[in-house]
Amino acid sequence: MDVGDLRKALDQDATQIVYSDELCLAVASVTETTARWIAQNLSERTQLVDTFSQDGSQADIWSRLGAIWKSIALSFAPAVSSSTSSEDSRIYLALALAKFERNLLAGLREHQDEASAHESEIRLLLFDLTTFTRIEDPRFYTLHAVLTQLLSNMISPTSPDPEDARIADRQMALYLSGRREDDVIIRLLDALDPKTNLATLHLIHNTTRGSPERLQLLLSEAGLRWVSRILARMDLYLEAHDGRFELCHEIISQFISNSLHPQLLNSLSIPNEPISPSQTTLLKILDAYLSSSHPNTSCPPSSPHSFLVPMFHLLAGYASTSMANVPDDARLPKVFEGLVLVCEGLSSIGLAVQARTDDGVVGDGGEEELVRTMKDNDDTIGVVKPLIEMLRQLDSFLPRVKPGASSSSSSSPLAESPDTAPLAGLKRNLVQLVGILSFNDTAVGDLVREYGGVQLILSMTEIDESNPYLREHALFATRNLMHNNPANQALIAQMDPIGVVADTGEVLPLPEKMRRHGQDAHIADI
């Protein structure tokens, strides 16, 4: 490539370029063409930079870029003089220049070191371009996105080497210092343009990946604003199918893999609320993590997930009080959703511990201790009694829907709302957790019997149209409660037959003739 045209364009006085429509368009044309050439010849970028400085240029390429960026940033300041070139010309110039430098920087630490000297000009420009109505003006959308890509390429570490992370360390600390003018990231997360959101998420992911120290910065007051924005938009991003959801998931999953999620969950709480929307989303990500990432090895001495037990107590206590005393509690569906997620997380941990036991892996780590805590007979510590009490209340609050019956016949106000219908599955999750905890553990079976849970769970072996798979989990739990537990076996044996098994698997009432004459019937074998 002939560097002469590029050198001629950039060597002009930066102020004159910005004040002239003709020069804006001319410089933009040259840098746009060069940006496309660089994209196809990445290996020749260093030679291009060296040639620019050796062939009689007034200054090196980085100094020239810095001077032009400074003039562009000043031209977009709110109090700018009207004697500058047209706004459209300056947008075109800034966009072309951003593409050029973005491509020039990508993955090259030596170029990052040089370009970081004018990072403040890029940040100032982004600040002004996201001020007032500009953040909602479609004319600026592409410029927002490309400038964010440039900023990302300027500060993202190019390798795991700590030396390559110096710029990221410095700039992340600056962005999260709490000063409004330094935090352009929060504005970019609020942008309406999906490409700007995507570029911003890439920047956050690139700068926090593999660095617990920089990830820890996101737990600061300013960092939590970023994280809250990310969590709040994940449902929207999931529907978009454009990569934003996956990036959000990657960013939040880093907190879990670095055992920072208990601190994050606590920081996301809202005063006087049992659970916040951001906490719920974090629990969803934790649920996916726990259900898919359990190696068959012993765990660390302290489980980072131990907060799930006190959270279960908190949510179960709120739900119990609400169901008993607060009709039409608007918070209750979200509390139920939180309980579902907490139960699923605890179930995943219980299954992982049991899998290690079955494979002969002797473990005394944090997850094993967490399971022992769940089984504790002190109901302020363990979860067995709260599980049974919650099931008993739910059995009345969300009554069983018989096959063929309409769910609208339920007396529960929640059952009438399509938005809350899936939360009826909470009974299934509670019964599943009882079944997991009672597997090969007669002490848990004794506790369940003591709290009146054996008969309760046995009653849930009937089909419930509002609770798919509740019957299957209840059958599994009943099996575990009876296994090697003569007292539970005797209790069930004393119970009167409850009916005959239909072809559908439903337990139906005994026919009148059978009850009257005491004829033998095929009794449900639980």
Side-chain angles (χ1 to χ4, degrees), residues 73-284:
L74 289 173
S75 77
F76 279 104
V80 65
S81 168
S82 60
S83 60
T84 57
S85 59
S86 70
E87 192 170 66
D88 286 344
S89 295
R90 284 177 285 128
I91 290 174
Y92 181 36
L93 171 63
L95 183 58
L97 207 65
K99 291 178 181 178
F100 167 67
E101 190 169 9
R102 174 199 64 188
N103 294 354
L104 202 59
L105 289 175
L108 293 178
R109 175 184 158 188
E110 59 272 22
H111 287 187
Q112 287 181 323
D113 289 339
E114 298 288 348
S116 63
H118 56 262
E119 180 275 340
S120 59
E121 312 297 349
I122 308 296
R123 181 164 26 94
L124 175 61
L125 177 58
L126 270 171
F127 184 86
D128 287 335
L129 292 180
T130 53
T131 299
F132 304 123
T133 60
R134 284 172 171 171
I135 195 171
E136 299 176 353
D137 189 338
R139 293 183 306 145
F140 291 98
Y141 283 0
T142 303
L143 183 54
H144 289 155
V146 178
L147 282 172
T148 306
Q149 292 168 356
L150 167 57
L151 199 63
S152 179
N153 284 359
M154 189 177 286
I155 72 171
S156 296
T158 57
S159 78
D161 186 343
E163 277 298 305
D164 287 351
R166 288 181 295 106
I167 298 174
D169 290 339
R170 182 180 70 240
Q171 296 308 131
M172 286 291 282
L174 178 65
Y175 299 163
L176 294 168
S177 63
R179 290 186 293 272
R180 175 174 171 268
E181 63 275 12
D182 291 328
D183 186 5
V184 294
I185 304 301
I186 194 69
R187 292 164 169 249
L188 297 169
L189 287 171
D190 284 336
L192 301 179
D193 175 41
K195 292 182 179 179
T196 301
N197 300 149
L198 194 63
T200 308
L201 292 169
H202 271 297
L203 185 153
I204 296 172
H205 183 243
N206 291 345
T207 52
T208 56
R209 180 178 52 198
S211 174
E213 295 78 18
R214 288 193 295 277
L215 194 65
Q216 184 85 40
L217 290 174
L218 296 186
L219 294 173
S220 65
E221 183 178 351
L224 286 170
R225 288 197 291 269
W226 296 8
V227 176
S228 296
R229 292 291 201 286
I230 291 170
L231 290 167
R233 286 162 171 74
M234 286 189 70
D235 285 341
L236 175 66
Y237 293 165
L238 179 62
E239 300 296 326
H241 303 289
D242 57 9
R244 286 179 291 173
F245 175 84
E246 289 75 13
L247 270 174
C248 290
H249 191 279
E250 285 289 330
I251 292 168
I252 302 302
S253 293
Q254 291 182 89
F255 286 97
I256 300 173
S257 59
N258 285 280
S259 299
L260 293 173
H261 57 294
Q263 185 179 348
L264 175 59
L265 188 88
N266 183 63
S267 299
L268 293 171
S269 63
I270 297 176
N272 302 318
E273 292 292 335
I275 187 169
S276 71
S278 291
Q279 286 178 315
T280 300
T281 304
L282 177 57
L283 287 174
K284 290 178 182 178

Side-chain angles (χ1 to χ4, degrees), residues 32-100:
E32 176 91 29
T33 300
T34 309
R36 288 196 296 268
W37 179 86
I38 291 173
Q40 298 173 356
N41 300 273
L42 293 176
S43 62
E44 299 186 39
R45 288 176 293 172
T46 300
Q47 182 180 350
L48 183 150
V49 170
D50 292 342
T51 303
F52 184 96
S53 301
Q54 292 169 1
D55 288 354
S57 174
Q58 299 173 13
D60 65 77
I61 195 169
W62 308 111
S63 299
R64 296 307 307 146
L65 288 171
I68 298 173
W69 279 124
K70 182 176 182 179
S71 293
I72 293 175
L74 289 173
S75 77
F76 279 104
V80 65
S81 168
S82 60
S83 60
T84 57
S85 59
S86 70
E87 192 170 66
D88 286 344
S89 295
R90 284 177 285 128
I91 290 174
Y92 181 36
L93 171 63
L95 183 58
L97 207 65
K99 291 178 181 178
F100 167 67

Side-chain angles (χ1 to χ4, degrees), residues 351-372:
L351 289 171
V353 169
Q354 187 59 51
R356 289 195 288 271
T357 301
D358 293 343
D359 289 346
V361 178
V362 179
D364 196 32
E367 290 193 343
E368 283 75 10
E369 180 60 33
L370 178 54
V371 170
R372 286 192 290 272

